[in-house]
Amino acid sequence: MTEQNSDTPDSTQDLADRVNNRSHRPNSAAFRDFVASGWDRTPLNAEALAAASFTPARRDAVSAAFPGERLVVPAGGLKVRSNDTDYRFRAHSAFIHLTGLEADSEPDAVLVFEPEGDGHDVTLYFRPRAGADTEEFFSDSRYGEYWVGPRADLEAMSTMTGIATESSATVDDAITKDLGAISVRLVRHADARIDGVIDLARTQVQADLETSEAGDAELAQLLSELRLIKDDHEIAQLREAVAITRAGFDNVVAALPKALGHRRGERVVETAFETAARSDGNGVGYDTIAASGNNACTLHWIRNDGQVRDGDLILVDAGAEADSLYTADITRTLPVSGTFTPVQAKIYDAVLDASDAAFAVAAEHPNRPVKFREVHEAAMEVIAKRLEEFGVLPVSAAVSLSPEGQQHRRWMVHGTSHHLGLDVHDCAQARAEMYLDATIEPGMVFTIEPGLYFKSDDLLLPEEFRGNGVRIEDDVLVTADGVENLSGDFPRSRAEIEAWVQSRPQDR
């Protein structure tokens, strides 16, 4: 990357000045005239995005929920990683869901629902392609086409999304006009600048801020709940994400010999997975967990700087994100040597039995209403019974499973399932009655991921159990006939896992 600077900037200094203060770019009139000339500015070809035939129904549902109100859904802005370099852009999930945009589109954009008649006129405000004769084109290293590549013009973006478009230069007026006479709901915390514009306008018209914040929360809740049932496009994208993830896990298995010989073998595993995720998709949907030995007992171990040793179990929790930004979320626990020890096998089989029990309950839904929380309860019943058999529970499994007990949760503190989609923990702002207490329905996609984590410093465990962590996680689609394991072609049984690892190249 060109022109980086490691100095820590003054937090009040404008980002552009961090470049200009040490820039060697020419600024003569002759240069400006010359650099603006001779460019092919034929409008970019554009075609409708894959999601464009699905997003109108999503927007219609939002419009119907808030008649007569203006709704503001920002994509979010670029975030500084270091000085004048930004993180790769990833838009807010609600914005992606309603526009169908993909990959790194579209920083600083805002989707606005303007009430009109019984519905809304919807406009996408974004930064369109700048002319070659503008300073932005050659001088702006954050947005300029010379630096970061071309953007769509207004017409092309409208063709891609099926949404009317305007320049984001006019968005502040669009979202604040007539604020005293119209209710405005905002997806907060997506774009701090837009938050500030709306907050200032609300203050100026003396809006009831408590009521306004409640309205914003209701919008976020609706947008979250709207994603609980996936349409055909979303399901197809999740299948693609799972397929890329399988390729990543195959890379992991192939990389185990190299990981064994490396001082940070966990990072060898991490990067093996991420090669597939980035090559075939947009990247990873969340930070990869590559946790060997006792590190597997740290639930969100993303440091991945440990060694990978023969005899260890390595827990890999990873998901590739498709270009559409839908992500998979899979966990497999692998015996590094290729064979589970007797104790490791006992732990693995307990977790697998818990997973199978959760699947079985979810599959009952065509014959009876099945609550989402029942999936977790089925897994916990198995976990508690196995821990009783292991002799580690201080009470019976029945007592532990009671609300007053829960001792078994010492070794599995997380839930068994969460919804999956644009976010790895999708639909997180949905109401409890729409999530934990909801009846599962066709089109829902969620994980089943029981585990057992026996930390090396847990003195309540027999010594032979300590330092072993196991999780098995699959991605599940609810269908009209039952459930489909989207990750069903991944090795899952103990014998399948051992054969998978043993199939790796043996040279180290």
Side-chain angles (χ1 to χ4, degrees), residues 249 286 315-318 329-333 449 470-475 490:
F249 269 86
Y286 55 94
L315 186 157
V316 182
D317 185 335
D329 182 8
I330 310 293
T331 305
R332 287 295 183 265
T333 305
E449 52 175 309
V470 173
R471 180 162 64 252
I472 304 169
E473 179 177 18
D474 289 288
D475 298 345
F490 282 63

Side-chain angles (χ1 to χ4, degrees), residues 173-302:
D173 289 340
I175 62 179
T176 59
K177 66 181 180 182
D178 305 322
L179 191 59
I182 191 171
S183 172
V184 176
R185 295 178 188 256
L186 166 68
V187 173
R188 298 192 68 83
H189 310 303
D191 188 320
R193 195 193 73 79
I194 295 295
D195 285 359
V197 170
I198 294 288
D199 288 346
L200 177 60
R202 284 172 171 170
T203 301
Q204 289 173 336
V205 299
Q206 298 182 320
D208 186 320
L209 298 183
E210 186 174 335
T211 300
S212 296
E213 290 174 5
D216 295 343
E218 288 173 358
L219 174 60
Q221 176 182 286
L222 182 279
L223 294 174
S224 216
E225 293 173 356
L226 189 62
R227 305 205 304 271
L228 285 165
I229 306 294
K230 269 59 179 179
D231 58 36
D232 288 346
H233 172 74
E234 294 177 283
I235 293 168
Q237 293 307 305
L238 286 163
R239 290 186 190 280
E240 180 177 346
V242 170
I244 299 168
T245 299
R246 174 59 199 268
F249 269 86
D250 286 339
N251 282 0
V252 164
V253 170
L256 284 176
K258 180 180 178 182
L260 276 161
H262 198 284
R263 67 184 178 87
R264 295 198 296 191
E266 290 175 344
R267 293 212 180 157
V268 173
V269 170
E270 174 188 356
T271 54
F273 178 83
E274 293 182 0
T275 294
R278 186 63 178 161
S279 297
D280 299 331
N282 191 57
V284 293
Y286 55 94
D287 287 330
T288 298
I289 297 170
S292 188
N294 187 57
N295 291 341
C297 303
T298 300
L299 298 182
H300 288 171
W301 177 260
I302 59 173

Side-chain angles (χ1 to χ4, degrees), residues 11 33 54 102 107 178 182 200 277 283 285 327 350 383 385 390 450 469 506:
S11 61
D33 291 343
F54 293 88
E102 300 182 341
D178 305 322
I182 191 171
L200 177 60
T327 185
I383 291 293
K385 288 179 178 178
F390 295 167
Q506 295 303 312

